[in-house]
Amino acid sequence: MTLNETPQVPGAPDSRPRTNKIQVSNTKKPLYFYINLAKRFLRTEEEVELSALGNAISTVVTIAEILKENGLVDVTKINTSTVDMNETNRYRPVQK
């Protein structure tokens, strides 16, 4: 399951490379928004990439499992990494 292209506006120049990456958030949209978005992408694309940071990672896993259980995708790769923070970056407190 991977995404490589985003929908382009009809008639707009293709100045950006298309990407099928869905960036998931816990707070901005409900779970089924991302599921339906992935289903829409899969109608025209072979792969969808789901991406998240922090607490939203469990939401990505849930989305992938729902799509897999419905027979819409085969999970081909799972990858985790850390974000490098420079000393010059200001840290934002996260409320838990």
Side-chain angles (χ1 to χ4, degrees), residues 40-57:
R40 257 190 285 154
F41 275 56
L42 289 166
R43 287 185 199 146
T44 58
E45 305 298 330
E46 291 183 18
E47 295 184 340
V48 173
E49 180 180 334
L50 300 173
S51 174
L53 294 173
N55 294 332
I57 293 171

Side-chain angles (χ1 to χ4, degrees), residues 14-71:
D14 290 333
S15 59
R16 299 184 310 159
R18 292 172 48 135
T19 176
N20 287 348
K21 184 174 184 177
I22 299 174
Q23 295 179 319
V24 177
S25 168
N26 271 357
T27 58
K28 296 192 181 205
K29 302 283 183 186
L31 176 72
Y32 278 93
F33 168 83
Y34 296 108
I35 293 170
N36 290 328
L37 182 60
K39 286 179 181 180
R40 257 190 285 154
F41 275 56
L42 289 166
R43 287 185 199 146
T44 58
E45 305 298 330
E46 291 183 18
E47 295 184 340
V48 173
E49 180 180 334
L50 300 173
S51 174
L53 294 173
N55 294 332
I57 293 171
S58 62
T59 304
V60 166
V61 172
T62 302
I63 293 167
E65 285 297 317
I66 290 170
L67 294 170
K68 182 179 164 185
E69 287 176 13
N70 288 325

